[in-house]
Amino acid sequence: MCGIFGAININNFFGERDYGKFVSLTDIVYHRGPDASGYTPLSCKESTVGNPGKFDIFLGHRRLSIIDLSDNANQPMCKDQKLWISFNGEIYNYLELRQDLKKQGYIFTTNSDTEVILAVYDKWGPKGFTYFNGMWAFAIVDLPRKQVVLSRDRFSVKPLYYYQRGGILFFSSEIKQLLPLLESMRVNHSTMFCYLNQGILNSNEETFFEDIYKLKPKHNLIISLSDGTMREEQYWDYEINKQTYTFEQAKEEFRSLFTDSIRLRLRSDVKVGALLSGGLDSSAISVLANTIQEGGFETFSVVSKNAKYSEAKFVDMLVRETGIVNHKLVIDDNSSHITINDILYFNDEPPGSFSTIAHYKMMEKIKKETDITVVLSGQGGDEILLGYRKYFFFYIKQLFKQHDIGTLFFEIASSFFNRTVLWQFDIGEARRYLPWKEKSSYEYLLGLPVIEPIFESSDLRSRQIVDIEKYSVPGLTHYEDRSSMASSLEIRLPFLDYRVVNFALNLPANFKIWRGWSKYILRESVYGIPETIRWRKDKQGFLLPEKLWLKSNLSGLIYDVFQKSLLAEMGIIDSKCFLRHYEKFLAGKSNIWCKDITRVLFAELWARKLFDKNNLIPFIQL
């Protein structure tokens, strides 16, 4: 896991002053790679390397050493002085690919996965990236072909941003590296409105900044210095598997794929652990990882001193029944001090909720109190296995459209009987999925928005794909990447192994939702999970007293900052109208979700930090 920066001058050359600036922009993300750094000027037009006075391509790299800790694996790395790479991420199946390439005559001089990427490109070109099982964002400079290939992994795990100015393209791991290059910094009103109105982050290539874009997942961007063209190519897509399974066969296949996904993600030359919340997903990962390592696998749980918001009892249950090694890291919510500046700095964009802050604190705690560098996390499990409550209602809708009334009533009755989804319905949370919300129902939002159809679901498989690509996974991987890298930690996601994703998407819906239970195949597939955790009815994220904070600790701040709102000055909200909406929330109006208030607050503080340097972000005590 690392940080990268690069610049491509398609028509002309860079010089000494540019080189110094590019080194500085690379080093802005020192936190992503404190172990080593590298800066390489290249001239594609003249096929030269290493002249900082005249170059048309710059590759910068900050390294967090995970695989092959030697200096030989530092980057930018080259093959035969012809191919150069700056790479952020991990290719988990690099050993298998390396072995295959050796049989075809390739010689390797390091034990790194980076060198394998160069060999794969040399052998198959950009189409070879479909062989990778991993997470990545990288740039390959191909001097003989006079082209640069940017590539991003299948599921938006690793970030890759770019900004084009004239005939120059800049790219980076984080937006903050590109901001000093902008001719003028402007808010992207469309992205901001989508965030405030629907709570959506990272749903397309646009960012909160005009002119700064993200490379799409599962795509390459190929820049030719011969003719000045740029073209986007998709290197991978989901497969439709027409093979039919009995449920027992599907259980065995899912367990096999998921176990192998974890096995690959345990590959590391530094210590690997797992986040253990006490929920189903993290418990499944921890149990299987402990089995693979034949015991001794270490897990880490951040728990609250406030029993109401603590998952400690479930963590203790798993530890007691399995013998898994667990370390509890205690956070006292009532006395914690949070500086929102840090969260805004590392995320570059407004966070989705206070869970982003909780995750940041958790990573910070793990870094300070353990010797772990790599952490397994359960993100992606809900999207591929229909874990969220919304999927139950989409499933009911699908059954109705299919005229399968018997199964429809069976699922509704089972949910009532088992006290699952229907007992957890929250109108404030559910209203964003209501089909009649074709325009903003928030009277404080200004402008004419484009509404994302997050309430649509033609079929469950298509709905899962759109959540993986647009509405859910990208926002989650964004904050997990920024929070972990802020503390120089790497997060790996076993549920987002492309083999597991493809298999899960092709399963019948009733293998994933059955008798009112979500993620049914996971509950049945992984042995060794305590029954109380296996059949937990509640779906919990980070347990935080967000509603309480907004009604008490943060009330004075909200009234203060919205008396003179920068968002209002920008024409994004009517601040007086928002304060009236907030007062309805304080009065307990049930259809106002606390996160709706949180988003407006975060957006206001973000705008002040980025666009009003004289208006300092207040120090928040919770």
Side-chain angles (χ1 to χ4, degrees):
M1 189 87 70
C2 306
I4 68 174
F5 174 82
I8 305 165
N9 196 325
I10 295 173
N11 301 317
N12 296 298
F13 291 94
F14 298 117
E16 290 268 7
R17 292 181 64 182
D18 299 308
Y19 178 81
K21 177 185 285 188
F22 297 161
V23 168
S24 297
L25 293 173
T26 303
D27 289 344
I28 283 177
V29 292
Y30 173 89
H31 53 277
R32 298 186 72 94
D35 296 330
S37 62
Y39 322 96
T40 303
L42 302 145
S43 174
C44 229
K45 300 181 188 73
E46 298 182 349
S47 297
T48 59
V49 177
N51 181 2
K54 186 180 183 183
F55 59 99
D56 50 31
I57 296 172
F58 175 88
L59 291 181
H61 191 266
R62 295 289 331 181
R63 185 182 183 200
L64 177 63
S65 302
I66 304 289
I67 292 173
D68 187 349
L69 308 184
S70 72
D71 291 346
N72 294 332
N74 287 348
Q75 299 181 48
M77 183 182 287
C78 72
K79 175 176 173 54
D80 304 325
Q81 295 293 308
K82 296 178 180 178
L83 301 178
W84 291 79
I85 186 171
S86 186
F87 161 50
N88 168 32
E90 304 290 351
I91 305 300
Y92 303 121
N93 63 333
Y94 75 103
L95 292 178
E96 290 79 5
L97 291 170
R98 176 190 176 100
Q99 202 58 36
D100 289 345
L101 288 161
K102 276 185 172 181
K103 292 176 183 176
Q104 299 181 58
Y106 281 84
I107 297 171
F108 294 89
T109 60
T110 76
N111 294 312
S112 71
D113 55 340
T114 309
E115 191 178 15
V116 172
I117 296 174
L118 286 173
V120 166
Y121 175 83
D122 183 66
K123 177 69 178 175
W124 292 291
K127 289 183 171 55
F129 302 163
T130 191
Y131 297 127
F132 296 150
N133 188 337
M135 54 180 184
W136 69 85
F138 59 69
I140 292 177
V141 178
D142 186 334
L143 291 177
R145 292 182 177 84
K146 299 188 184 305
Q147 70 178 20
V148 181
V149 180
L150 305 182
S151 183
R152 194 173 181 210
D153 62 59
R154 297 172 177 88
F155 305 123
S156 307
V157 181
K158 293 289 92 191
L160 187 54
Y161 297 95
Y162 64 92
Y163 163 59
Q164 191 172 8
R165 188 180 70 202
I168 302 174
L169 183 79
F170 304 98
F171 59 89
S172 65
S173 291
E174 297 188 9
I175 290 174
K176 63 178 63 64
Q177 297 169 274
L178 300 178
L179 294 181
L181 300 166
L182 294 175
E183 293 178 323
S184 65
M185 193 164 63
R186 303 185 307 277
V187 175
N188 184 327
H189 282 238
S190 175
T191 300
M192 175 63 80
F193 191 95
C194 196
Y195 164 75
L196 293 176
N197 187 46
Q198 296 179 278
I200 296 173
L201 288 164
N202 297 284
S203 63
N204 54 35
E205 302 91 84
E206 296 185 11
T207 69
F208 279 79
F209 298 88
E210 290 282 355
D211 301 326
I212 295 180
Y213 298 91
K214 300 183 290 287
L215 182 59
K216 292 179 186 175
K218 63 183 180 5
H219 278 74
N220 300 323
L221 182 63
I222 301 174
I223 303 101
S224 170
L225 276 79
S226 297
D227 57 19
T229 60
M230 293 197 306
R231 69 182 189 278
E232 202 172 62
E233 291 183 352
Q234 184 171 324
Y235 62 83
W236 181 85
D237 205 356
Y238 306 92
E239 298 173 2
I240 295 178
N241 184 355
K242 296 183 179 179
Q243 182 177 351
T244 58
Y245 294 90
T246 67
F247 184 70
E248 289 302 315
Q249 291 170 333
K251 274 173 52 179
E252 294 302 317
E253 182 66 11
F254 177 80
R255 184 188 305 112
S256 174
L257 288 172
F258 190 46
T259 301
D260 195 58
S261 171
I262 294 170
R263 179 186 65 83
L264 290 179
R265 282 156 182 79
L266 290 173
R267 285 180 172 170
S268 172
D269 294 327
V270 295
K271 198 169 180 180
V272 182
L275 302 179
L276 177 59
S277 68
L280 177 62
D281 296 347
S282 65
S283 296
I285 290 171
S286 299
V287 166
L288 289 173
N290 194 53
T291 301
I292 293 167
Q293 291 201 346
E294 299 180 347
F297 184 69
E298 294 190 52
T299 62
F300 299 85
S301 305
V302 174
V303 298
S304 171
K305 285 185 177 180
N306 187 335
K308 183 178 179 181
Y309 303 105
S310 178
E311 295 271 85
K313 65 178 181 179
F314 294 106
V315 172
D316 292 340
M317 185 183 303
L318 185 75
V319 170
R320 188 168 56 249
E321 295 193 23
T322 65
I324 284 174
V325 178
N326 179 256
H327 306 278
K328 287 194 183 71
L329 310 173
V330 179
I331 292 178
D332 185 350
D333 296 308
N334 294 320
S335 64
S336 62
H337 292 73
I338 298 172
T339 305
I340 194 66
N341 265 311
D342 292 342
I343 306 301
L344 295 175
Y345 175 77
F346 287 112
N347 279 271
D348 289 323
E349 298 176 298
S353 71
F354 277 97
S355 62
T356 303
I357 296 175
H359 194 268
Y360 173 82
K361 290 171 66 181
M362 180 168 61
M363 294 295 105
E364 190 177 52
K365 199 87 169 169
I366 289 173
K367 181 66 175 181
K368 288 178 179 177
E369 299 183 16
T370 79
D371 58 351
I372 290 289
T373 304
V374 176
V375 184
L376 304 186
S377 168
Q379 294 289 18
D382 289 307
E383 289 80 7
I384 71 169
L385 297 172
L386 303 179
Y388 293 125
R389 288 187 282 266
K390 66 184 179 184
Y391 290 125
F392 180 82
F393 297 99
F394 286 139
Y395 183 39
I396 294 301
K397 177 183 175 183
Q398 179 172 296
L399 292 171
F400 181 78
K401 288 169 62 176
Q402 295 170 345
H403 306 292
D404 190 351
I405 306 303
T407 304
L408 184 154
F409 280 112
F410 171 76
E411 286 297 336
I412 290 175
S414 296
S415 180
F416 270 115
F417 179 78
N418 291 319
R419 301 177 71 89
T420 58
V421 176
L422 293 177
W423 287 84
Q424 301 156 13
F425 183 77
D426 182 331
I427 185 61
E429 182 177 352
R431 67 199 298 268
R432 64 199 291 253
Y433 297 107
L434 299 178
W436 53 83
K437 266 199 65 168
E438 294 180 357
K439 62 180 181 178
S440 172
S441 60
Y442 303 117
E443 64 275 12
Y444 53 82
L445 291 180
L446 305 176
L448 296 173
V450 175
I451 302 296
E452 285 286 339
I454 63 172
F455 41 77
E456 292 183 356
S457 176
S458 57
D459 64 86
L460 277 175
R461 183 177 185 273
S462 299
R463 177 65 208 202
Q464 288 180 269
I465 289 174
V466 83
D467 280 339
I468 291 168
E469 293 193 341
K470 295 180 65 175
Y471 298 145
S472 185
V473 166
L476 297 173
T477 54
H478 174 100
Y479 85 71
E480 282 218 336
D481 173 84
R482 302 314 185 278
S483 295
S484 59
M485 292 311 301
S487 292
S488 304
L489 297 174
E490 173 174 291
I491 281 194
R492 299 179 176 181
L493 309 174
F495 282 107
L496 291 181
D497 183 304
Y498 76 95
R499 301 167 302 165
V500 176
V501 173
N502 248 332
F503 182 76
L505 289 179
N506 283 292
L507 289 174
N510 65 344
F511 285 12
K512 292 173 277 191
I513 295 177
W514 180 244
R515 294 180 177 173
W517 294 100
S518 64
K519 295 190 279 196
Y520 190 72
I521 194 168
L522 177 63
R523 297 176 194 270
E524 290 280 2
S525 295
V526 181
Y527 306 133
I529 299 175
E531 292 301 296
T532 303
I533 295 175
R534 184 189 305 278
W535 300 109
R536 281 190 70 174
K537 298 177 174 68
D538 53 340
K539 168 63 190 163
Q540 302 286 7
F542 290 111
L543 292 175
L544 294 170
E546 187 165 343
K547 184 183 291 187
L548 175 64
W549 288 344
L550 290 169
K551 289 187 173 184
S552 55
N553 307 58
L554 297 175
S555 180
L557 171 67
I558 291 171
Y559 277 114
D560 182 49
V561 299
F562 288 102
Q563 292 300 325
K564 190 178 180 183
S565 165
L566 189 54
L567 290 182
E569 291 180 18
M570 292 176 169
I572 294 170
I573 69 166
D574 180 326
S575 55
K576 291 180 180 178
C577 205
F578 170 71
L579 286 175
R580 289 195 296 270
H581 186 79
Y582 175 61
E583 285 165 0
K584 293 176 185 176
F585 169 75
L586 292 178
K589 192 171 181 181
S590 63
N591 68 339
I592 299 179
W593 194 23
C594 64
K595 288 182 172 54
D596 295 339
I597 305 296
T598 298
R599 288 196 301 273
V600 182
L601 174 61
F602 281 162
E604 176 69 29
L605 298 179
W606 171 82
R608 289 176 179 226
K609 179 176 176 62
L610 270 296
F611 295 92
D612 187 356
K613 300 300 183 183
N614 297 318
N615 202 338
L616 298 178
I617 304 298
F619 187 70
I620 300 176
Q621 180 176 347
L622 299 175

